[in-house]
Amino acid sequence: MDVRATDTSCLNWAGDILALGLFEDGVELTGDLATLDGKLAGTLKELMAEAEFKGKEGSSALARVGGGSAIRKVLLVGLGKPDSLKLESLRRAAALSMRQAKKEKGKTLAIQFPVWNSQPEATVQAIAEGAELAAYQDTRFKSESEDKNSQLEQIEILGVGDQSAAIQRARQICSGVILARELVAAPPNVVTSLTMAETAEAIAQEHGLEIEILEQEDCEKLGMGAFLGVARASDIPPKFIHITYKPNGTPRRKVAIVGKGLTFDSGGLNIKGAGSGIEMMKTDMGGAAATLGAAKAIAQIKPDVEVHFISAATENMISGRALRPGDVLTASNGKTIEVNNTDAEGRLTLADALVFTEKLGVDAIVDLATLTGACVVALGDDIAGLWSSDDTLAAELLNAAESAGEKLWQMPMEEKYFDGLKSMIADMKNTGPRPGGSITAALFLKQFVKETPWAHLDVAGPVWADKENGYNSAGATGYGVRTLVNWVVA
């Protein structure tokens, strides 16, 4: 599918479907739209009246244009109140336009939306992102594509001039999001720790990045007892992945992104019971998927920032070698952990990953993890939680998420809750009491970062969507990639 931006006006465009963005309570036709309505024999006014179209965000109305018009169908798309227009509004409106065009079996689609904040480049990038992400359908594991009747070949963004750089940036970012979606959506017999390492190597080879894959023996030498404790029940060997992107010249800062990489989580000997959603535990590597997706995007964008992408990849299984409740593990910083729940394994893998990462001497560390159901209870399926030891870093991430349209909410780092993690026989337990479970999980991770500004994103809710939502189809969303990219390049 070709996406392009041009100076062409809606008055001069010819094709299958023309999508026009209109504000709420501002649907009086003026200027080019009034002229276009005249050319279309009043079709726009009739459509507004018949569909009772008021321009509310997320609303739309479609009509066929008769009389041999150069435009086959016109689509009105509501953008909400003018003072509430955001880049996310444009992404969602573009996604709606794309989905409607595919449904109508159009080959060509034109989009004419207002320019956000007098910034045509940002406007075009948002529209292109929304269209590209909505167009993606994962049919890898179906014998026949359900999307075989789709004919959309071209999208033209009207009235904004040549914005090829913005469209290229959108494609680069979307390629990372789609990679993350495909990793999360794939079944656990397809995506394993080996697959994650192979994917990392492919990204590094394609884009000229440095890569280091630590094998089990390497992790043993580094004393990664927490990570290896989780990995020991699996027949598939663990892989510790470290990709490095370095810009040309001196980087203005060095940062690290750490993703939880549990390719399947059975719960271990604290096995997940019926009704626990165990069949969806293939998504437990959503943090690592976002990390690799961000690596793919950032390698193409080439910012002047050095970035380290890290994941301790394994699966949490059951065997005679399995981690037992009551076992004590020693992490690579020497801290001892009493395992009181083998189903709280992600934080154990992250513990050693964070210790490894801080030794790289970076300026900031961000980890992403599908860590707790408690965060989903608190914030729902659409919002990730943010905990941070540094207010500046937290603000950077909140701004990056706002621009990306990925919902993120800062949660309290209530230090006294760490009392719930105290152990009689070790430095700490791996879980605390049920209340505040996502907070104690963050406090656990904090024990493995000494001085570096650090933030933890609990993405357990938004990595998966049960139904279509905006530019996300039902399934894996690729959550986090766009926020990470925005944070790095800011």
Side-chain angles (χ1 to χ4, degrees):
M1 182 183 69
D2 178 44
V3 180
R4 63 182 66 176
T6 70
D7 278 324
T8 303
S9 162
C10 61
L11 298 173
N12 303 319
W13 185 78
D16 290 326
I17 299 171
L18 172 62
L20 301 170
L22 296 174
F23 289 120
E24 186 174 354
D25 299 329
V27 292
E28 289 296 323
L29 300 178
T30 59
D32 283 353
L33 292 184
T35 305
L36 177 64
D37 193 42
K39 289 182 65 175
L40 301 180
T43 297
L44 301 184
K45 285 184 179 178
E46 285 184 12
L47 177 58
M48 288 181 199
E50 290 181 5
E52 298 183 347
F53 179 81
K54 302 297 183 183
K56 290 186 177 181
E57 187 168 2
S59 65
S60 65
L62 178 78
R64 184 172 182 84
V65 181
S69 170
I71 300 169
R72 187 162 65 90
K73 294 182 180 180
V74 63
L75 174 68
L76 304 181
V77 180
L79 298 175
K81 301 284 188 182
D83 55 0
S84 299
L85 183 69
K86 299 179 180 179
L87 292 174
E88 180 68 359
S89 309
L90 298 176
R91 286 189 197 95
R92 287 178 170 270
L96 187 156
S97 304
M98 153 65 86
R99 294 190 193 282
Q100 191 67 50
K102 291 178 71 174
K103 182 179 178 181
E104 297 297 321
K105 298 183 172 58
K107 290 185 177 180
T108 56
L109 167 67
I111 295 176
Q112 182 167 300
F113 292 164
V115 173
W116 173 80
N117 204 27
S118 301
Q119 296 184 38
E121 184 175 351
T123 297
V124 169
Q125 181 179 328
I127 292 171
E129 284 178 8
E132 290 271 2
L133 293 175
Y136 172 76
Q137 297 291 325
D138 188 357
T139 59
R140 292 170 297 160
F141 304 104
K142 292 182 179 289
S143 57
E144 289 188 19
S145 171
E146 296 174 355
D147 204 28
K148 59 186 176 183
N149 293 324
S150 174
Q151 304 173 22
L152 193 59
E153 298 173 356
Q154 183 181 102
I155 297 177
E156 192 168 345
I157 304 170
L158 304 181
V160 289
D162 179 12
Q163 298 290 343
S164 55
I167 292 173
Q168 179 66 11
R169 173 67 63 89
R171 284 181 175 144
Q172 291 166 341
I173 293 171
C174 289
S175 71
V177 176
I178 289 169
L179 172 63
R181 286 181 177 182
E182 290 186 341
L183 288 170
V184 172
N189 63 323
V190 172
V191 170
T192 66
S193 56
L194 301 179
T195 311
M196 296 293 284
E198 290 167 358
T199 302
E201 288 171 336
I203 294 169
Q205 183 175 3
E206 180 179 1
H207 299 290
L209 307 181
E210 297 177 12
I211 187 166
E212 177 183 31
I213 305 291
L214 301 183
E215 304 296 343
Q216 179 167 335
E217 296 78 10
D218 302 313
C219 296
E220 289 171 351
K221 290 176 182 177
L222 292 172
M224 294 184 178
F227 170 42
L228 295 177
V230 175
R232 70 191 190 199
S234 175
D235 291 333
I236 301 172
K239 300 286 182 178
F240 192 97
I241 300 164
H242 177 201
I243 303 173
T244 305
Y245 162 79
K246 291 183 178 179
N248 293 326
T250 303
R252 60 182 169 88
R253 61 173 179 161
K254 300 179 182 180
V255 300
I257 298 168
V258 181
K260 174 184 169 183
L262 268 293
T263 59
F264 184 75
D265 177 22
S266 70
L269 291 180
N270 289 111
I271 190 168
K272 295 177 184 292
S276 65
I278 190 172
E279 72 281 358
M280 288 303 298
M281 287 301 101
K282 66 180 183 177
T283 67
D284 213 16
M285 36 65 69
T291 299
L292 293 181
K296 183 177 179 67
I298 288 166
Q300 297 173 75
I301 295 169
K302 299 186 182 344
D304 57 347
V305 178
E306 182 176 312
V307 191
H308 296 263
F309 306 90
I310 292 160
S311 179
T314 187
E315 57 182 2
N316 186 23
M317 298 297 285
I318 299 172
S319 75
R321 304 186 305 274
L323 188 64
R324 292 168 293 242
D327 283 357
V328 174
L329 304 175
T330 303
S332 48
N333 66 346
K335 288 187 180 290
T336 57
I337 307 160
E338 179 189 359
V339 178
N340 63 341
N341 189 336
T342 63
D343 195 21
E345 81 302 324
R347 65 197 69 184
L348 298 174
T349 68
L350 286 169
D352 282 325
L354 290 170
V355 172
F356 176 93
T357 303
E358 188 167 34
K359 291 177 180 178
L360 299 174
V362 295
D363 301 314
I365 301 169
V366 175
D367 80 68
L368 296 88
T370 51
L371 205 63
T372 67
C375 192
V376 182
V377 171
L379 298 177
D381 293 326
D382 295 334
I383 307 172
L386 162 66
W387 289 260
S388 183
S389 63
D390 185 271
D391 290 340
T392 299
L393 176 58
E396 290 173 357
L397 289 165
L398 289 168
N399 289 335
E402 170 69 20
S403 179
E406 294 186 318
K407 296 180 181 179
L408 184 62
W409 191 262
Q410 187 166 4
M411 301 284 276
M413 188 76 80
E414 186 62 42
E415 294 288 347
K416 74 174 184 179
Y417 284 12
F418 187 75
D419 288 347
L421 292 172
K422 289 182 177 178
S423 166
M424 292 178 61
I425 63 170
D427 294 331
M428 70 194 87
K429 297 182 290 188
N430 70 325
T431 65
R434 184 176 178 85
S438 60
I439 298 175
T440 53
L443 289 170
F444 177 92
L445 296 178
K446 187 173 181 286
Q447 308 311 304
F448 300 91
V449 182
K450 288 183 178 179
E451 298 177 352
T452 308
W454 158 81
H456 160 60
L457 307 184
D458 192 330
V459 299
V463 297
W464 188 269
D466 287 330
K467 59 183 179 180
E468 181 183 295
N469 181 10
Y471 41 79
N472 291 324
S473 299
T477 64
Y479 180 93
V481 172
R482 291 179 297 119
T483 292
L484 293 171
V485 170
N486 286 350
W487 173 63
V488 167
V489 303

